[in-house]
Amino acid sequence: MTVSLWPRRPGSSLGTEGGLCALVFLLLLHNVDAGIQIKTQQRDFFVIEGRNFTIAAEIKLAQGDTIASAFWVKQNGERQRIVDCLPDRVETASYSTYTGRARCAMQADKIALTLSKLTPKDSGDYLLKITLNSGEIGTVQFTGKLYAPVLNINIVPHLEKTDRQTKLTLTCKVSAGTDPIFNWTASNEPVARSSKYVLSTDRSVLTILEFESSDCRVYTCIVNNDANVEKKLFNVSESDGFPFCREESVSKITTFHIILMVVSLLMPLLIGIFVWLVMRSSSGVI
């Protein structure tokens, strides 16, 4: 008995529609039993200068079929061959700029490309092409995204005064950097969330509540990612926008200088008295 997948039209026959159904079924069956299946865990990766990366494709062949050839290419406008792959062997690239930097490891169920000493030019699309002895061709593409280092840190201060309190907000910004991680220190002490310090979700913004003279410190924004670490300092006492911090700093310096002068003047006198007492003691004068 033939079952039709489409509504019958006047004049159509069950036999014709049954033949079409059988043809579609055979095509679907052919795709299910395809000679090669390629799977990947991740198709996007980051290119970090100076580092290495490995990308891999899991392969599954139909029973009885084998790989005739496999190789990796870089698609940068025109395909640039990187390295050929051979079963159960690690092959090193012998093509162009990839000589000595790329190698292919091919196993029964996996083909992996490893590229060392990355440069920014290594970002782009990579293609693995597999040809079977049956003539079937399978491909899979990977994309390498350039991982930018942290550059040009800047701290933007904002002082806000209200009837109740004065608060200082420091915003740390970077002009470039992939997945930057922000942290703060106050006079080299790590800053943590508290009733005094408020940090934004990504920790790029630090707000100091109830700002007072004791908060006139050196605040450092530390930004890092997998490529590098950069720092930027903000000395409140040296900023023109905070004259009271500068006055406090000058006052502390002046007090220190006065104490130092007094000690400097008294020290010779104390030494003289000590020497005089020693001399009197040694001469037997009591």
Side-chain angles (χ1 to χ4, degrees):
M1 175 178 169
T2 304
V3 180
S4 175
L5 297 181
W6 296 274
R8 290 184 60 193
R9 299 186 303 275
S12 63
S13 66
L14 288 174
T16 302
E17 294 178 3
L20 290 173
C21 290
L23 179 60
V24 170
F25 176 77
L26 289 174
L27 290 174
L28 291 174
L29 184 62
H30 174 74
N31 290 332
V32 171
D33 294 336
I36 183 171
Q37 297 179 23
I38 304 176
K39 296 180 180 180
T40 60
Q41 297 293 331
Q42 186 176 358
R43 294 199 179 188
D44 293 337
F45 61 94
F46 280 115
V47 173
I48 304 177
E49 190 168 4
R51 303 283 185 88
N52 305 339
F53 76 77
T54 298
I55 51 179
E58 297 177 0
I59 55 176
K60 183 178 180 181
L61 305 180
Q63 187 174 3
D65 213 340
T66 57
I67 296 177
S69 66
F71 58 87
W72 293 87
V73 296
K74 173 76 178 300
Q75 300 185 111
N76 50 347
E78 58 183 20
R79 291 189 176 185
Q80 183 179 5
R81 198 150 176 160
I82 300 175
V83 61
D84 295 325
C85 306
L86 293 175
D88 301 321
R89 290 178 58 179
V90 176
E91 292 296 315
T92 303
S94 57
Y95 296 98
S96 186
T97 58
Y98 294 99
T99 301
R101 290 203 306 127
R103 65 179 185 270
C104 177
M106 181 174 172
Q107 301 173 350
D109 58 349
K110 182 183 294 186
I111 299 179
L113 169 68
T114 299
L115 194 63
S116 61
K117 300 177 182 178
L118 297 177
T119 69
K121 293 182 179 180
D122 290 322
S123 59
D125 295 328
Y126 290 77
L127 183 75
L128 169 63
K129 183 176 181 180
I130 304 172
T131 303
L132 303 183
N133 285 315
S134 61
E136 184 173 348
I137 296 175
T139 61
V140 61
Q141 180 175 297
F142 297 81
T143 300
K145 300 178 180 179
L146 184 62
Y147 195 99
V150 175
L151 297 175
N152 302 326
I153 302 179
N154 187 33
I155 298 177
V156 180
H158 176 68
L159 188 66
E160 182 180 348
K161 296 182 179 181
T162 63
D163 295 337
R164 295 184 177 182
Q165 67 173 351
T166 299
K167 65 180 181 180
L168 172 63
T169 299
L170 302 176
T171 303
C172 187
K173 299 181 178 181
V174 295
S175 64
T178 303
D179 297 334
I181 299 173
F182 296 86
N183 283 291
W184 291 88
T185 63
S187 298
N188 296 323
E189 297 178 0
V191 171
R193 291 185 174 93
S194 65
S195 58
K196 184 69 175 180
Y197 297 124
V198 178
L199 290 165
S200 61
T201 303
D202 65 351
R203 303 177 68 90
S204 65
V205 181
L206 169 64
T207 301
I208 306 162
L209 302 177
E210 299 181 2
F211 191 86
E212 51 192 359
S213 59
S214 60
D215 297 316
C216 296
R217 307 169 71 182
V218 178
Y219 296 89
T220 305
C221 177
I222 306 170
V223 188
N224 70 283
N225 62 10
D226 287 341
N228 66 331
V229 179
E230 293 292 333
K231 300 179 181 180
K232 181 70 175 182
L233 277 65
F234 180 77
N235 191 338
V236 180
S237 299
E238 295 180 355
S239 175
D240 294 334
F242 306 90
F244 59 90
C245 282
R246 300 180 69 180
E247 292 170 2
E248 183 74 16
S249 178
V250 171
S251 176
K252 290 180 180 179
I253 294 174
T254 303
T255 302
F256 174 77
H257 283 168
I258 292 174
I259 295 173
L260 183 62
M261 288 176 62
V262 171
V263 172
S264 299
L265 291 173
L266 289 177
M267 187 61 68
L269 179 60
L270 294 173
I271 293 174
I273 293 172
F274 176 76
V275 172
W276 180 76
L277 290 173
V278 171
M279 291 178 65
R280 280 177 61 87
S281 175
S282 62
S283 63
V285 179
I286 299 177

